[in-house]
Amino acid sequence: MNDNRKPRLSGNWASLLLPINADESIDFARLSQAIDVLIAAGVDGIYSNGTASEFYAQTEAEFDAIQAQLAEKCRAAGMSFMIGASQTDPVLQLARIRRAAALRPRAIQVILPDWWPVSNEEARTFLLRASEAAEGTELVLYNPPHAKRVLAPSDIAVATAGTAVTATKLSLVGETFYAEARRHLQHLAVFVPGHHLATGVREGVAAGAFSNIACLSPRGAQRWTDMMASDLDTALEWEGRIRAFITEHILPFAQAGYSNAALDKLLASIGGWADVGTRLRMPYGSIDAAEVPALRRAARALIPEIMSA
């Protein structure tokens, strides 16, 4: 069911982050402005309803409104876009996939059902149904480290066989991840965490990233991604400092219990490229915006090439 006529998914994909008002409503005006900035930044693509879009905390009407806004703006600008149809409920997710497919995105991102850990065959059963719902649109399997079942590359190969999944978004689990990915995932475009992208390219595995670095600076992340094709050594040197910034200044918030969505919104606030804010919908905690000025100074000192783009 894979469509081999299209170019393989690749590059620097920037996340649509969800601006939340004090009353926990979605600020669609600020969302519109953020989409405009991402389009102007010239990123390889924009994707909605990843972790930082808080897909798990939207009504179906809100889901539809977000995707419609993104699709309209991206089609008008000729920008590639991807819709995240993820939902922990498989029935609701299939319905989201059908509605997303009608908007003609480049691809649709999905997760596995997440109430009970799925077996490989159960995962494949769901992905076959998702492929039917997508009606010819490619699927991207997002399997985050906090999923009920984190699939090894060999498991992903089994679960995606004969489906419309053409790409997968994975965390770097285990010391043998790259070797296992080279062995089992040659049929898929593999997307790695943004701050590991240059290493993933060097290892011959990464096609791109749904990038936390694009949360920090869409233009900076695109500049860095483009560099990997012509000057990988310099890109790897940048990566060393990017990872140092993430380790020293961002991961302590994760260790304090904040979610990945909180970290991504913090990065966007540090970058200051759009008025997204650090607020999350309840019950998840938001990082105090008072942390941003000092973190911005640290980012400018460690990775000026990213921050100044």
Side-chain angles (χ1 to χ4, degrees):
M1 299 179 69
N2 292 350
D3 184 358
N4 294 320
R5 295 171 297 175
K6 294 180 180 178
R8 200 177 208 203
L9 283 164
S10 64
N12 169 50
W13 286 74
S15 175
L16 192 60
L17 299 104
L18 204 62
I20 301 296
N21 293 318
D23 64 358
E24 294 201 353
S25 62
I26 298 170
D27 192 325
F28 281 94
R30 285 194 286 153
L31 183 68
S32 176
Q33 293 166 0
I35 296 171
D36 290 341
V37 173
L38 292 176
I39 290 172
V43 294
D44 290 318
I46 303 171
Y47 72 102
S48 67
N49 277 42
T51 297
S53 292
E54 298 178 75
F55 68 81
Y56 46 82
Q58 295 171 15
T59 68
E60 296 310 289
E62 288 170 336
F63 171 86
D64 289 342
I66 293 165
Q67 314 323 316
Q69 187 177 81
L70 176 67
E72 180 181 4
K73 284 180 170 287
C74 286
R75 281 203 297 265
M79 169 62 67
S80 291
F81 70 100
M82 185 182 303
I83 292 175
S86 299
Q87 232 287 354
T88 55
D89 180 324
V91 175
L92 290 177
Q93 186 169 188
L94 290 174
R96 284 187 175 188
I97 292 168
R98 294 186 190 99
R99 302 200 305 276
L103 296 173
R104 305 189 306 280
R106 176 65 178 81
I108 298 171
Q109 191 174 121
V110 300
I111 60 172
L112 297 173
D114 205 45
W115 173 247
W116 189 262
V118 293
S119 67
N120 286 354
E121 189 55 36
E122 288 168 337
R124 185 168 181 270
T125 295
F126 173 75
L127 293 174
L128 285 169
R129 290 285 299 276
S131 300
E132 293 172 3
E135 296 184 338
T137 303
E138 296 176 46
L139 298 180
V140 177
L141 175 61
Y142 177 28
N143 188 222
H146 54 272
K148 282 288 195 311
R149 171 108 191 274
V150 178
L151 276 62
S154 57
D155 299 317
I156 291 172
V158 173
T160 59
T163 74
V165 176
T166 63
T168 184
K169 175 185 177 183
L170 301 174
S171 296
L172 310 180
V173 178
E175 296 181 357
T176 62
F177 170 81
Y178 287 120
E180 292 296 301
R182 285 191 295 267
R183 180 179 178 186
H184 296 288
L185 300 181
Q186 290 296 318
H187 64 300
L188 299 178
V190 176
F191 285 74
V192 300
H195 56 299
H196 289 266
L197 181 55
T199 295
V201 169
R202 184 192 65 192
E203 293 290 331
V205 168
F210 298 102
S211 180
N212 58 344
I213 307 308
C215 290
L216 178 64
S217 170
R219 289 184 184 275
Q222 191 62 49
R223 179 185 178 194
W224 180 47
T225 303
D226 292 342
M227 175 189 293
M228 294 173 201
S230 59
D231 190 356
L232 185 55
D233 286 343
T234 299
L236 286 164
E237 191 277 324
W238 286 23
E239 183 185 292
R241 289 184 282 115
I242 289 168
R243 287 167 64 175
F245 172 73
I246 296 293
T247 299
E248 295 169 20
H249 299 284
I250 303 301
L251 289 186
F253 291 99
Q255 292 159 359
Y258 288 102
S259 67
N260 284 348
L263 303 187
D264 285 347
K265 286 190 173 182
L266 176 64
L267 286 168
S269 294
I270 294 167
W273 53 270
D275 183 15
V276 172
T278 61
R279 183 184 299 275
L280 271 65
R281 276 184 160 173
M282 74 90 189
Y284 298 105
S286 305
I287 298 171
D288 191 337
E291 302 279 0
V292 168
L295 293 169
R296 184 176 292 153
R297 289 192 293 271
R300 287 174 175 168
L302 266 173
I303 44 175
E305 304 90 341
I306 298 292
M307 295 295 290
S308 64

